[in-house]
Amino acid sequence: MQKVGRNDPCPCGSGRKYKACCGLYHAGIQYPDTVERMIRSRFTAYAIGDVNYLWRTTHPDNEARAGKTEADFKRETLHYCKKVDFTRLVIHETESEDERGIARGTLTAWYRVAGQPEDSLTERSEFVRVDGRLLYLTGVQVDVQAGDAPQGADD
């Protein structure tokens, strides 16, 4: 788990300082209004162990949250964050909400677990708006096609 100061580079890879990037969302000053911003802010929350933010941005029907108390979710998520060092994020694509209200994004997150080489996970995430705010609904692992180019920061 990373320790990030307000003036440090944001772990999401945007090139901005944490306080002017994901820190705004984690502190509750702003709420991410795009899929890309939500992916970046959740990646950073995992990287720094901000389980309060992860709880707030995870849909109640998500399998990691469904049927759990807030305390159980946070305890389990913090344990995971302490074991996994998230090192890099690439967002391959994002899609606006469809006719069912589902927005999507494909990302690759690189990470390290103590004693193991760096590895990555590519996920196709789904988000849905509740009371006007995007929430992480679900994600499935996918293979990235050789031609998929990473998407740059949206701000």
Side-chain angles (χ1 to χ4, degrees):
M1 199 164 61
Q2 298 178 33
K3 297 286 186 200
V4 177
R6 293 174 29 82
N7 290 312
D8 291 339
C10 191
C12 78
S14 68
R16 295 183 305 178
K17 292 180 180 181
Y18 173 71
K19 70 180 181 183
C21 192
C22 295
L24 294 170
Y25 308 129
H26 297 167
I29 296 167
Q30 294 180 5
Y31 197 86
D33 58 352
T34 67
V35 171
E36 181 174 347
R37 289 179 182 142
M38 179 59 78
I39 290 171
R40 288 184 182 283
S41 65
R42 286 180 55 85
F43 172 86
T44 298
Y46 275 106
I48 66 173
D50 188 342
V51 295
N52 294 317
Y53 183 76
L54 292 168
W55 171 260
R56 289 193 316 266
T57 58
T58 301
H59 193 277
D61 292 341
N62 177 278
E63 69 179 68
R65 184 174 161 178
K68 291 184 183 162
T69 66
E70 182 176 349
D72 286 343
F73 173 89
K74 289 178 178 180
R75 184 181 63 254
E76 291 172 14
T77 304
L78 184 59
H79 178 74
Y80 175 75
C81 292
K82 287 180 177 180
K83 289 186 342 184
V84 180
D85 181 22
F86 290 91
T87 58
R88 187 165 42 117
L89 172 68
V90 171
I91 300 174
H92 300 281
E93 66 176 340
T94 61
E95 297 173 18
S96 299
E97 295 159 69
D98 63 16
E99 66 281 349
R100 294 182 10 236
I102 305 291
R104 294 175 180 81
T106 304
L107 65 106
T108 299
W110 278 264
Y111 60 91
R112 283 194 178 94
V113 175
Q116 298 179 16
E118 186 176 55
D119 201 355
S120 67
L121 164 76
T122 300
E123 177 180 290
R124 178 103 167 123
S125 303
E126 292 189 346
F127 302 87
V128 64
R129 283 194 193 272
V130 175
D131 297 328
R133 296 183 168 198
L134 284 172
L135 296 177
Y136 175 70
L137 183 60
T138 189
V140 295
Q141 279 189 257
V142 296
D143 291 325
V144 178
Q145 303 301 317
D148 285 352
Q151 179 173 315
D154 64 353
D155 339 72

